[in-house]
Amino acid sequence: MQTHIKMHTKNLDFFYGDFQALDQVSIDFIENRVTALIGPSGCGKSTYLRCLNRMNDLIAGIRVKGLAMLDNDDIYDPSIDVVTLRRQVGMVFQKPNPFPKSVFENIAYGLKVNGMKDKAKITRIVEKSLKQAAIWDEVKDRLNESALGLSGGQQQRLCIARALAVAPEVLLMDEPASALDPIATQKIEELITELSSKLTIIIVTHNMQQAARISDRTAFFYMGKLIEVNDTDTLFTKPELKQTEDYITGRFG
Amino acid sequence: MIKQRLIVQKVCFSFLKIAALLNGAALAVILYFIISRGWRAISWEFLSQAPRDSMTAGGILPCIVGTMALCLVTIFVALPIGVASAIYLNEYASQGKLVRFIRLGINNLAGVPSIVFGLFGLAFFCIVLKMGVSAASGGLTLGIMTLPVIIGASEEALKSVPNTYREASLAMGASKWQTIRKVVLPVAFPGIITGSILGISRAAGETAPIMYTGAVFFTPDLPASILDEVMALPYHIYVLATAGTQIEATRHLQYGTALVLIVLVFGMNLSAIILRSKIRKNLRI
């Protein structure tokens, strides 16, 4: 089967001031697949994720070297509009962070800031996004109520719906289930699997079972370096390096 | 041992409690003092007429209107500039030399004595800008004096907006300005408004900054424009109590005026609180 590389980095270095947080990281992300980034805390996986939609730009004193590509565009090229990039590469955060607005307004926000004015179209996309995020049935009668009244798991699926509304091509997820209970986590995992038929997903997770369950490919980070990346099944059953094996079998980390 | 510890704890708590109670007591004493001596002066005539007979009779309408005019100018000057500065300092500026310099300026502005603001206002607004003694000059002087308070309150309000809101908005392809305008400001707005009104109500009671710049001893006319001189409540109290023709005979008028000023300031503070809770409800926080 022909696979298309949706995003890739080549020899990506990242510095916070003098501290080098990423060292020569090269990964290919295949279109419409789920790639999991695993590794112990502080290994650079979240930093790497935030390089992919340039959220790190918000931090003062950072420096990026190397190549990060979305299709054929270098996302760190000066001609790239960061605002457009972030619409193409959406993000879901660790803690559910809905705006203190109604359920409807939360989803419509991304459409409005991107210039959509047609109310009927906005309503249609809000409904479609909520259905895609498998939360429509739970919120369809309370679209005008505050999103902050939803449970944690519902809020996180709302945030996923909000990210989907602007039709991103890639979705970055930074430990999206780590603040949720097991049932809410299961729903998010099912959702990720479903979404991956139409969307390239890159997910940071601390939970190795989760990585094994939901991802097609897994990348293992340690101390700012990419140690090993492979098909998830291969990486978990026949890791090439001892370091990877030690981590996934729980011998360190 | 345990007993001794409990006793020490009791003594300390009692001390803290007394310290806290003293605040309330001070307010209660001030209120009692002013209300008990001033309420007899309050009448419809007192609130709706100009002073008569060398300010020993009649009302204080020009002072009420004058103080309100000064407050309005203060709001128009200090609120936009203060909030804009706070947004710049908190949301846009990188923490470099310029920002440190601006902050230093703001902190020092807050420490300048109010009489110095009065002299500056006289020299700059009244004379250099040729606005004379007027509600505009007085309001501008009060405005500059209030700026640090408004900037401080607004920055606190902006800081209390969780960063996750900003990140979520930016991650959806919103620009920085859209994020500030549509996500950050609505959440920070109640805090900004409350802090600002508290600052302005403080300015409403100031005497020193307006005695050379905006307020006059006596004028029976209500201001027709902001370039007119005005009477003001705090300055009127000062005049009656120190420079009037019959200081003792006008005591009840002095306390009556003080009472009106306090009610006015309380009214502003109360409206700030009501406004805040209303906006919070609309925001669905």
Side-chain angles (χ1 to χ4, degrees):
Chain A
M1 200 177 88
Q2 193 69 29
T3 50
H4 172 65
I5 307 291
K6 184 69 191 169
M7 241 186 148
H8 74 274
T9 63
K10 199 156 178 66
N11 302 336
L12 195 76
D13 290 335
F14 183 87
F15 303 84
Y16 293 107
D18 293 331
F19 175 72
Q20 183 165 8
L22 292 175
D23 186 2
Q24 300 283 304
V25 179
S26 307
I27 308 180
D28 293 341
F29 298 101
I30 300 166
E31 187 166 41
N32 300 345
R33 292 283 191 282
V34 180
T35 307
L37 311 180
I38 61 168
S41 300
C43 68
K45 56 194 190 301
S46 282
T47 300
Y48 179 74
L49 193 75
R50 282 165 175 258
C51 283
L52 299 177
N53 67 342
R54 292 184 57 176
M55 281 306 268
N56 287 329
D57 288 17
L58 304 179
I59 306 163
I62 60 119
R63 206 150 46 84
V64 185
K65 263 169 58 188
L67 198 64
M69 302 283 285
L70 173 66
D71 290 321
N72 297 317
D73 297 322
D74 176 357
I75 63 173
Y76 282 92
D77 192 272
S79 69
I80 287 284
D81 175 23
V82 183
V83 169
T84 312
L85 169 73
R86 293 195 185 128
R87 199 193 56 64
Q88 292 170 306
V89 182
M91 189 162 203
V92 175
F93 297 83
Q94 186 171 1
K95 284 203 185 114
N97 56 354
F99 300 128
K101 300 173 188 277
S102 70
V103 170
F104 184 91
E105 284 301 325
N106 259 282
I107 313 292
Y109 178 81
L111 303 170
K112 288 180 180 168
V113 297
N114 282 296
M116 193 178 290
K117 296 216 168 65
D118 182 349
K119 282 209 174 120
K121 200 170 170 193
I122 291 176
T123 310
R124 211 163 55 235
I125 297 178
V126 168
E127 182 176 338
K128 188 179 135 205
S129 310
L130 288 168
K131 280 179 175 160
Q132 271 183 313
I135 191 180
W136 172 252
D137 289 332
E138 290 158 70
V139 298
K140 64 173 188 250
D141 300 320
R142 47 200 292 199
L143 291 177
N144 291 313
E145 286 172 35
S146 171
L148 300 184
L150 302 175
S151 74
Q154 288 173 328
Q155 287 188 8
Q156 192 62 305
R157 276 178 288 144
L158 182 78
C159 290
I160 294 174
R162 183 174 66 178
L164 293 175
V166 294
E169 298 157 31
V170 179
L171 189 61
L172 310 176
M173 304 178 103
D174 191 356
E175 299 185 48
S178 66
L180 305 179
D181 65 56
I183 293 171
T185 301
Q186 196 192 342
K187 283 188 179 161
I188 300 277
E189 288 183 8
E190 286 167 3
L191 180 56
I192 290 169
T193 307
E194 213 175 292
L195 291 173
S196 66
S197 62
K198 291 177 200 125
L199 201 60
T200 309
I201 295 176
I202 305 168
I203 178 171
V204 164
T205 178
H206 260 123
N207 181 331
M208 269 168 295
Q209 285 77 29
Q210 185 173 68
R213 279 193 299 267
I214 61 173
S215 70
D216 303 296
R217 286 167 62 79
T218 298
F220 170 57
F221 281 72
Y222 185 64
M223 305 263 286
K225 288 194 172 90
L226 174 71
I227 306 298
E228 190 170 346
V229 55
N230 214 329
D231 288 344
T232 300
D233 290 340
T234 316
L235 189 113
F236 277 91
T237 52
K238 288 190 271 322
E240 276 169 29
L241 295 168
K242 177 137 190 340
Q243 219 172 356
T244 315
E245 188 180 345
D246 285 350
Y247 183 70
I248 59 179
T249 52
R251 248 169 281 176
F252 87 99
Chain B
M1 263 319 270
I2 287 177
K3 226 178 185 176
Q4 198 193 343
R5 254 198 335 206
L6 279 177
I7 292 170
V8 170
Q9 163 159 308
K10 269 217 160 118
V11 170
C12 290
F13 279 2
S14 313
F15 176 75
L16 298 174
K17 196 172 176 184
I18 290 167
L21 282 174
L22 271 177
N23 295 299
L27 179 68
V29 169
I30 292 173
L31 280 181
Y32 171 77
F33 202 67
I34 287 174
I35 292 173
S36 67
R37 289 166 193 227
W39 71 273
R40 275 191 207 87
I42 306 293
S43 65
W44 179 241
E45 190 202 359
F46 188 67
L47 297 174
S48 64
Q49 308 248 313
R52 276 185 285 110
D53 306 336
S54 306
M55 297 198 285
T56 57
I60 54 166
L61 180 67
C63 310
I64 300 175
V65 174
T67 289
M68 285 179 164
L70 288 168
C71 279
L72 275 182
V73 177
T74 307
I75 290 172
F76 273 106
V77 175
L79 199 60
I81 297 179
V83 174
S85 311
I87 293 175
Y88 175 74
L89 289 173
N90 203 56
E91 304 289 327
Y92 274 103
S94 52
Q95 306 300 319
K97 265 193 187 139
L98 178 68
V99 169
R100 243 181 301 162
F101 178 73
I102 296 174
R103 274 188 208 286
L104 193 71
I106 294 168
N107 290 337
N108 280 309
L109 205 59
V112 173
S114 55
I115 188 72
V116 177
F117 279 108
L119 289 170
F120 165 76
L122 173 68
F124 188 67
F125 297 123
C126 302
I127 296 169
V128 174
L129 296 185
K130 297 193 170 67
M131 290 194 284
V133 173
S134 62
S137 299
L140 283 166
T141 310
L142 286 175
I144 295 180
M145 201 189 74
T146 315
L147 267 179
V149 182
I150 293 183
I151 294 173
S154 304
E155 274 210 85
E156 277 314 306
L158 290 169
K159 282 205 180 87
S160 73
V161 178
N163 233 344
T164 56
Y165 289 173
R166 294 184 182 86
E167 286 187 337
S169 171
L170 293 168
M172 260 178 292
S175 68
K176 203 161 180 177
W177 172 244
Q178 284 174 322
T179 300
I180 292 170
R181 170 74 192 73
K182 298 197 167 149
V183 176
V184 178
L185 273 186
V187 178
F189 191 66
I192 291 177
I193 280 299
T194 323
S196 302
I197 294 182
L198 291 178
I200 288 160
S201 72
R202 177 92 227 169
E206 284 286 346
T207 315
I210 57 168
M211 59 196 292
Y212 309 129
T213 57
V216 290
F217 193 79
F218 176 72
T219 169
D221 303 321
L222 298 180
S225 85
I226 57 164
L227 289 174
D228 284 348
E229 54 192 26
V230 292
M231 292 181 81
L233 290 166
Y235 188 51
H236 189 59
I237 298 170
Y238 171 73
V239 166
L240 287 184
T242 61
T245 44
Q246 295 171 15
I247 292 169
E248 281 308 317
T250 58
R251 280 284 184 234
H252 67 292
L253 293 180
Q254 296 161 23
Y255 282 110
T257 310
L259 183 55
V260 171
L261 178 58
I262 283 189
V263 168
L264 204 74
V265 169
F266 272 27
M268 283 170 82
N269 294 355
L270 194 67
S271 63
I273 293 165
I274 293 170
L275 196 65
R276 177 173 58 182
S277 67
K278 272 223 163 123
I279 299 171
R280 286 238 166 108
K281 242 180 235 155
N282 285 344
L283 255 183
R284 310 149 180 275
I285 291 180

